[in-house]
Amino acid sequence: MSETRFVMVYAYDIVADRDRDRIAGLLEDVAVRVQRSVFEIRQTREEADRLIARLTPYLAPGDKLRVYALGATGLDHSRVFGGPPLPEPADYWLL
């Protein structure tokens, strides 16, 4: 049985340009940017933990990183107006 994949929402407010660019670059490699500092991706808890471990070294005092997990119930109540749709469940990505 496969592990549960959640829609993970990453939102940040990073003071230093260089650190903000690094965090944005790491997220752009794997997630969909839905606003300037907000990304969405469908991940397992373990995948999210690994990504968070890659992001947190670039956080300085005063910076903020929020990571929200949306399960099936939350997704049923979510709405999107404009921009890319919420990530769909899939075992692969077409690039």
Side-chain angles (χ1 to χ4, degrees):
M1 187 164 93
S2 66
E3 191 174 350
T4 302
R5 298 179 85 73
F6 298 94
V7 170
M8 304 297 291
V9 179
Y10 291 78
Y12 59 81
D13 184 7
I14 308 298
V15 176
D17 291 342
R18 187 173 183 181
D19 292 335
R20 186 174 49 253
D21 290 345
R22 286 179 176 161
I23 287 175
L26 288 169
L27 288 168
E28 286 172 340
D29 286 345
V30 297
V32 174
R33 181 176 280 204
V34 294
Q35 289 188 3
R36 183 177 291 254
S37 61
V38 180
F39 290 79
E40 294 173 343
I41 183 174
R42 194 172 281 271
Q43 295 179 302
T44 65
R45 169 86 184 247
E46 184 177 283
E47 290 166 338
D49 288 344
R50 284 195 305 265
L51 181 55
I52 291 165
R54 293 181 64 200
L55 299 173
T56 54
Y58 300 109
L59 297 176
D63 289 344
K64 298 168 194 71
L65 172 66
R66 301 286 181 142
V67 182
Y68 301 100
L70 300 177
T73 303
L75 287 173
D76 288 344
H77 298 285
S78 297
R79 301 292 181 263
V80 175
F81 302 94
L86 288 168
E88 292 296 324
D91 293 333
Y92 57 89
W93 287 87
L94 296 176
L95 302 175

